Amino acid sequence: MGEKTSTAGKPIQCRAAVSRAAGEPLVIEEIMVAAPMPHEVRIRIICTSLCQSDVTYWKMKDFPGIFPRILGHEAIGVVESVGEDVDEVTEGDTVIPTFMSDCGECVDCKSKKSNLCSKLPFKVSPWMPRYETSRFTDLKGEVLYHFLSVSSFSEYTVVDIAHVKKIDPSIAPNRACLLSCGVSTGVGAAWRTANVETGSTVVIFGLGSIGLAVAEGARLCGATKIIGVDLNPDKFEIGKKFGVTDFVNSGNCGDKSVSQVINEITGGGADYCFECVGLASLVQEAYACCRKGWGKTIVVGVDKPESKLSLTSFEVLTSGKTLMGSLFGGLKAKSDIPILLKRYADKELRLDEFVTHEVRFDDINKAFDLLIEGHCLRCVIWMDK
Amino acid sequence: MVEKISTAGKPIQCRAAVSRAAGEPLVIEEIMVAPPMPREVRIRIICTSLCHTDIGIWKLKDPPGMYPRIFGHEAIGVVESVGKGVDEVTEGDTVIPTFISDCGECEDCKSKKSNVCSKLPFKVSPWMPRHESSRFTDLNGEVIYHFMFVSSFTEYTVVDVAHVTKIDPSISPSRACLLSCGISTGVGAAWKTANVEAGSTVAIFGLGSIGLAVAEGARLCGATRIIGVDLNPDKFEVGKMFGVTDFINGGECGEKSVSQVINEMTGGGADYCFECIGSASLVNQAYFSCKNGFGKTVIIGVARPGSELGLSFHDVLHGGGKSIMGSMFGGIKAKTDIPILLQRYSDKELRLDEFVTHEIQFNDINKAFDLLLEGQCLRCVIWMDKHE
């Protein structure tokens, strides 16, 4: 057997699914991936999954939509090489990249209370976070933009060490990769952001992967009533797998608003309401059916940047309700992802049921079709070995 | 000595400051105060103070503005008589009325987490809360409307027992009355609603009585940096008395917004921001002055009806665990927390004296309105005349 030539320190030519125009199918092409700079890690992707946020920015013609770009941010891989000043991981480690930084150095990362790293703050940037440059070029030498500091729709990618978490390699990659974004976001929103109490009532607007992960998180926290709201009645059967106890078809409420229906079912509102679609109007519905006095409304979905919330000062003043957002479920990647992986290994946290489809890298556009048609939860895309 | 005739069970004729038209001076006139119905308490007011909320509704021509009305909701008095079914208080007790109910029976009142009673929910109603009628008539027999279930600008008023807290009579009434609304609201917002942690940084928008009470509450909670924001530079000296450590003149930030200035001063935002004026744009400033990830923005000020917050979806989502919430009566449960605050005043921990900047007689009640409208006072206490 020929000895494998080390690629460390050199550019790698490999295949990537490049998004060259808003809303158009990705094109599999050969690209060059530069060596990692200091504090960076080059990763060979094992598998990756499609998230609604990829679709949102893939469709966006104007900034922060930008092209040509390598999308994808939910993934798992193996470290191929590291840049200078990287001690946390080494070649061969199995790692999960995350769009949220956990630098461990700033006041926020050191605080128990915040997961919003201030050293490398979250933004939808076309660049690597620390140097604001790209590691990708096509074979003509044209720059390809990064996405959410991850860019996983590629056989190789480069990620800042603050966005990389080493994990136990024995966990099935098409399960572990889910904790890179979607399931962590949902479970975390219930567990960390809302801190759902045992015995409470929870309402979840939108039963996509995120909403179902919120249900799973609420179930693990001991919520006894988990009401799922969706336009698609099939979601109830699916939701039951993740702890949903009641279902409201928001298209079937007749003259009543969804919040009226929920206020009736719950006798005054839920303890926690999660918006997992990304619509200002639904945030308002969620706020209207969370219980006055102590209810919390948590915004998890992603709406268009300019979308405004219409709440009156009087309502906020007198209701005793709290409104908050949740980015990456309030999780600190490096400490919380291993906790969630262990809970999966201990058969407490469900991950398997989120993976409804698996495709090969060449068929990546099928994943987009499936998600846009609402026919899948997570579609895992396997890179070829 | 002539034996005092009991007034229990009978209407009482007394003087009240009646508001007969929006924005016009109150008129002192004789009125009739009916005896208390079941679960109600008739109270002889000792003294009362003016709050901005009285002014806000007094100016309104349309509902919830209604006339003729007896304003006032921050007060202290003595029980003259009680209606059926009242065991908590009896004739002669010193009591503080509150606009927020603490019925002790509903899920909210029984829960530690909520102070918004659902049995007798808050509203700016013209009536008594339980029987939705009025106890006041003028001498022509015309109904006079109540205000916030208290109506304290009168020698006698009737208040539902859920809105009445019995207190230690030895505390000076011109101090104790402040806990009936303003100071409880401010101190509570820091203590109960925000649960300000020791060592934290707080920003307060608006240094009126409420804002200064928030500062006092934050100080008692151990906040180490208390930033006060106001357009009036005199408020800094005043604020220092209550724990304000830094001052921002909201009119002198140049091209920067107040939130930019606060973010720079604090290296990323305050842990808690309180809006104590009632302006949607200031609520926005407060939200952006608050640390992303875990800051709390607390709305206390009462905005014009219908005024919208105007936060964007993006702002809330990207604030992460940063939250926004309102604070009614400072999150305080009147019957348990007012005695606690009174005790802290007696123990010389909580400052109340410095809030009272003016004291006047009932006949001069309109002066209190002038002083507050001109921004020339904190609390102006209005003393009822004594009765032998």
Side-chain angles (χ1 to χ4, degrees), chain B residues 153-172:
Chain B
F153 291 166
T154 167
E155 291 176 328
Y156 287 85
T157 185
V158 182
V159 181
D160 191 287
V161 73
H163 290 259
V164 172
T165 296
K166 176 177 172 177
I167 61 150
D168 172 358
S170 70
I171 313 229
S172 169

Side-chain angles (χ1 to χ4, degrees), chain B residues 43 77-80 87-95 166-167 169:
Chain B
I43 298 168
V78 174
V79 177
E80 171 270 342
D87 305 308
E88 265 177 65
V89 296
T90 189
E91 185 192 333
D93 284 344
T94 301
V95 294
K166 176 177 172 177
I167 61 150

Side-chain angles (χ1 to χ4, degrees), chain A residues 108 111 113-114 116 122 197 275 278-280 283 291-294 299-303 305 307-314 316-319 321-327, chain B residues 107-108 111 113-114 116-118 122 197 280 292-294 299-303 306-314 316-328:
Chain A
D108 288 79
S111 158
K113 297 190 270 188
S114 168
L116 298 187
F122 172 76
E197 287 180 14
E275 200 283 350
L279 279 178
V283 172
R291 199 197 179 289
K292 73 170 194 28
W294 64 68
V299 177
V300 188
V302 181
D303 199 346
S307 170
K308 280 249 184 287
L309 292 177
S310 179
L311 292 172
T312 66
S313 298
F314 187 78
V316 178
L317 173 67
T318 58
S319 67
K321 301 178 189 179
T322 297
L323 175 67
M324 59 207 313
S326 183
L327 274 184
Chain B
E107 201 187 348
D108 287 80
S111 159
K113 296 188 275 187
S114 167
V116 284
C117 175
S118 36
F122 169 75
E197 287 182 13
N292 277 341
F294 63 89
I299 301 176
I300 305 170
V302 182
S307 116
E308 288 206 359
L309 272 194
L311 282 176
S312 83
F313 189 107
H314 186 268
V316 173
L317 176 64
H318 289 264
K322 171 160 84 169
S323 55
I324 183 164
M325 63 196 75
S327 182
M328 280 295 282

Side-chain angles (χ1 to χ4, degrees), chain A residues 132-384:
Chain A
E132 301 231 314
T133 46
S134 172
R135 303 288 156 273
F136 302 126
T137 43
D138 65 14
L139 293 190
K140 295 184 185 143
E142 189 193 352
V143 158
L144 301 172
Y145 296 111
H146 288 253
F147 182 60
L148 295 193
S149 306
V150 175
S151 288
S152 58
F153 292 166
S154 168
E155 289 177 329
Y156 286 85
T157 184
V158 181
V159 180
D160 191 284
I161 186 61
H163 291 258
V164 171
K165 175 59 192 167
K166 175 179 174 177
I167 61 149
D168 172 359
S170 69
I171 314 232
N174 59 350
R175 307 305 187 229
C177 70
L178 304 176
L179 294 179
S180 165
C181 174
V183 177
S184 287
T185 294
V187 171
W191 173 40
R192 288 281 190 225
T193 300
N195 196 15
V196 167
E197 287 180 14
T198 312
S200 56
T201 295
V202 165
V203 178
I204 303 169
F205 286 77
L207 295 181
S209 297
I210 303 296
L212 292 168
V214 171
E216 179 66 2
R219 182 187 71 80
L220 287 171
C221 289
T224 42
K225 195 165 185 161
I226 301 175
I227 303 170
V229 182
D230 205 283
L231 289 166
N232 177 356
D234 295 339
K235 291 290 174 114
F236 190 22
E237 280 311 305
I238 299 170
K240 281 185 193 169
K241 285 189 260 187
F242 298 99
V244 174
T245 59
D246 298 69
F247 181 76
V248 172
N249 184 329
S250 38
N252 261 1
C253 292
D255 287 336
K256 298 183 182 174
S257 64
V258 176
S259 56
Q260 276 175 299
V261 171
I262 289 171
N263 279 320
E264 281 166 22
I265 299 174
T266 55
D271 302 299
Y272 309 90
C273 286
F274 297 85
E275 200 283 350
C276 304
V277 176
L279 279 178
S281 59
L282 278 182
V283 172
Q284 283 149 213
E285 284 294 297
Y287 192 82
C289 63
C290 89
R291 199 197 179 289
K292 73 170 194 28
W294 64 68
K296 284 184 185 168
T297 298
I298 297 108
V299 177
V300 188
V302 181
D303 199 346
K304 287 185 294 296
E306 62 283 1
S307 170
K308 280 249 184 287
L309 292 177
S310 179
L311 292 172
T312 66
S313 298
F314 187 78
E315 237 250 288
V316 178
L317 173 67
T318 58
S319 67
K321 301 178 189 179
T322 297
L323 175 67
M324 59 207 313
S326 183
L327 274 184
F328 194 49
L331 297 191
K332 288 174 175 301
K334 302 197 185 196
S335 36
D336 292 329
I337 286 178
I339 294 176
L340 292 179
L341 278 172
K342 174 127 197 348
R343 295 196 81 175
Y344 169 66
D346 291 347
K347 302 197 186 308
E348 292 169 10
L349 170 70
R350 291 191 191 107
L351 290 179
D352 303 357
E353 293 87 342
F354 284 100
V355 180
T356 52
H357 297 77
E358 298 186 61
V359 301
R360 300 187 68 228
F361 190 34
D362 284 318
D363 295 326
I364 191 168
N365 288 306
K366 284 192 185 152
F368 280 72
D369 294 336
L370 285 164
L371 193 58
I372 291 168
E373 289 155 21
H375 287 140
C376 72
L377 291 179
R378 276 312 197 237
C379 177
V380 171
I381 300 142
W382 287 94
M383 298 303 170
D384 306 321

Side-chain angles (χ1 to χ4, degrees), chain B residues 20 26 30 40 68 136 170 186 206 217 248-249 280 289 295-296 327 363:
Chain B
R20 288 200 166 272
L26 309 186
E30 296 281 326
E40 295 178 2
F136 302 127
S170 70
I248 295 176
N249 185 328
S289 303
K296 284 183 187 170
S327 182
N363 282 350

Side-chain angles (χ1 to χ4, degrees), chain A residues 22-102:
Chain A
E24 301 212 5
L26 308 187
V27 182
I28 305 274
E29 40 180 280
E30 296 280 326
I31 65 163
M32 298 303 298
V33 183
M37 288 185 68
H39 301 283
E40 295 179 2
V41 180
R42 191 160 58 185
I43 299 168
R44 176 178 65 75
I45 297 294
I46 300 172
C47 62
T48 176
S49 24
L50 182 64
C51 173
Q52 202 59 257
S53 302
D54 294 295
V55 175
T56 299
Y57 288 94
W58 165 72
K59 285 188 194 172
M60 212 180 274
K61 289 187 166 62
D62 301 316
F63 195 82
I66 191 169
F67 305 91
R69 185 175 226 164
I70 296 176
L71 295 163
H73 62 282
E74 188 175 285
I76 184 170
V78 175
V79 176
E80 171 269 342
S81 65
V82 302
E84 283 170 33
D85 299 323
V86 173
D87 305 309
E88 264 175 68
V89 300
T90 190
E91 185 192 333
D93 282 347
T94 302
V95 294
I96 283 179
T98 56
F99 69 89
M100 255 330 231
S101 162
D102 186 358

Side-chain angles (χ1 to χ4, degrees), chain B residues 323-368:
Chain B
S323 55
I324 183 164
M325 63 196 75
S327 182
M328 280 295 282
F329 196 48
I332 290 218
K333 287 177 177 298
K335 302 192 187 198
T336 35
D337 295 327
I338 286 179
I340 292 175
L341 290 178
L342 280 172
Q343 183 62 49
R344 295 197 79 177
Y345 169 66
S346 302
D347 293 346
K348 301 199 187 305
E349 291 169 11
L350 170 70
R351 292 190 188 107
L352 290 179
D353 303 355
E354 293 86 341
F355 283 101
V356 181
T357 51
H358 297 76
E359 296 185 58
I360 58 176
Q361 288 277 307
F362 189 35
N363 282 350
D364 296 326
I365 190 169
N366 288 306
K367 283 191 187 154

